[in-house]
Amino acid sequence: MVQLLLQLPSFLASLAIVAVLSQLLLPDMGWLGGLLWLASGAMAFHRPTERALARNLLNLRHPTPRELSRLEPLWRAVTARTGVEGRAYELWIEDSDHLNALAAAGHIVGVTRFSLERLSDGQLAAVLAHELGHHVRGHAWSSLLGQWYAVPGRLVWAVVRKLIRLVTVTVTGHGRMDFWAAVLLLVAGAAVLLVALEYWFVALTLVAAPYLLAAVTRRAEVRADHHAAAAGFGPMLAEVLHMMQAADRESGSVTASALSGCGKTAAMGTRTPARGGREGLLGKLLSSHPDYHTRLHHLAPYLKR
């Protein structure tokens, strides 16, 4: 719920954009475009749409009979232990050489081929329990819904940025900026500044929202870990996190830690190129995953039982 509230500013901005475009394209039925756009969010829970999302956007595939013969018993054990109806979800495979997993939309649970081949039964069950935690706590569907409703605003912002770059390159292409070009840029900058000052609370919210949302998403990862640990998978989950940490050290990358469910759809890990072995402060604040030390620290009480 907090995640959805933090995405409210981008949702309202997107709604305004859709409403304006609908009014321009359909003057007599401007409300129809906005209504259809609002209703489109329900497609996140439409099974055929979820499957199309899994195949085309997430690059997932259905498990082979051999893969399914290993996954299904573990999934049944995890859902039975947590008291969840396992048949409500669909298992998918990502052809990747990284240790990862994801929870997406309303019913998608995916693991990488690497995870399926290299993890023990206990470790793989822990990964599945973590992803199930994202679904049970609503992290996966709320993340997807927020991202979907933010698309119009992000597209418009991307177009605005490209136009700014184009204008800047055009007016400075000869090494100097003429008088009227400078005036145009100053007027445009002043207009943006005046709007930001007049609606400072909206501007402040839009600036702060990504950092707050990242903090909530990191908290969601810890809660998904707790869900798996409370079901008895704490030690196995800790083993997986140690494996991922060791792999990142060997590859020389800085990772915000994997096993997830809420980023691009709830992806287990996000890799960041190392810069002298340290992440920048902004990178940490915008990371969708806690570092390994933080996650292992929160798992510690479950390891002592």
Side-chain angles (χ1 to χ4, degrees):
M1 184 60 70
V2 175
Q3 194 171 28
L4 288 177
L5 288 175
L6 289 174
Q7 300 204 46
L8 185 60
S10 59
F11 165 77
L12 292 176
S14 294
L15 179 59
I17 292 168
V18 171
V20 170
L21 290 177
S22 298
Q23 192 63 40
L24 292 175
L25 297 174
L26 301 169
D28 297 328
M29 300 181 65
W31 55 269
L32 183 60
L35 184 62
L36 291 175
W37 179 70
L38 289 174
S40 68
M43 299 298 285
F45 307 98
H46 182 236
R47 290 301 183 100
T49 303
E50 284 188 351
R51 295 184 186 113
L53 170 71
R55 293 191 189 95
N56 301 314
L57 292 182
L58 305 180
N59 296 319
L60 303 178
R61 61 171 175 81
H62 287 296
T64 64
R66 181 179 179 181
E67 291 168 337
L68 199 58
S69 68
R70 181 164 186 232
L71 273 176
E72 274 195 330
L74 295 176
W75 181 246
R76 285 197 298 267
V78 168
T79 54
R81 189 178 292 192
T82 55
V84 176
E85 177 52 66
R87 289 175 295 182
Y89 302 94
E90 293 188 12
L91 299 173
W92 294 78
I93 300 294
E94 179 185 1
D95 286 316
S96 169
D97 294 327
H98 296 293
L99 201 171
N100 212 336
L102 61 87
H107 311 91
I108 295 172
V109 176
V111 297
T112 61
R113 186 185 67 252
F114 181 92
S115 302
L116 188 65
E117 294 174 350
R118 300 298 181 88
L119 296 181
S120 67
D121 285 352
Q123 292 167 345
L124 186 56
V127 169
L128 293 172
H130 172 94
E131 301 308 329
L132 179 60
H134 282 302
H135 277 302
V136 170
R137 295 176 180 271
H139 303 155
W141 70 262
S142 61
S143 175
L144 178 63
L145 207 58
Q147 291 175 19
W148 168 249
Y149 281 134
V151 166
R154 289 176 178 173
L155 288 177
V156 169
W157 176 238
V159 171
V160 170
R161 290 177 63 184
K162 286 185 179 296
L163 288 175
I164 292 174
R165 290 197 192 100
L166 180 61
V167 171
T168 303
V169 170
T170 301
V171 300
T172 60
H174 300 291
R176 62 187 182 83
M177 185 183 301
D178 61 38
F179 175 76
W180 292 111
V183 169
L184 178 62
L185 287 178
L186 285 174
V187 170
V192 171
L193 181 60
L194 287 174
V195 171
L197 291 175
E198 179 68 21
Y199 301 98
W200 62 269
F201 51 93
V202 176
L204 181 61
T205 302
L206 290 173
V207 171
Y211 298 95
L212 297 175
L213 189 59
V216 171
T217 305
R218 290 194 296 272
R219 182 60 181 168
E221 291 303 318
V222 173
R223 290 181 175 177
D225 286 347
H226 284 178
H227 180 270
F233 296 104
M236 292 78 85
L237 184 59
E239 291 173 4
V240 174
L241 292 175
H242 280 299
M243 290 172 62
M244 298 174 73
Q245 187 177 34
D248 286 340
R249 285 173 178 169
E250 290 178 5
S251 65
S253 65
V254 178
T255 302
S257 106
L259 271 180
S260 148
C262 312
K264 93 181 189 185
T265 39
M268 227 167 128
T270 305
R271 296 174 184 273
T272 305
R275 296 182 181 179
R278 300 179 64 181
E279 281 185 288
L281 177 60
L282 289 181
K284 290 182 178 179
L285 292 176
L286 289 172
S287 174
S288 62
H289 290 68
D291 57 52
Y292 293 112
H293 175 77
T294 299
R295 295 179 71 172
L296 290 168
H297 171 74
H298 285 283
L299 282 176
Y302 297 96
L303 307 182
K304 296 176 182 178
R305 296 177 182 177

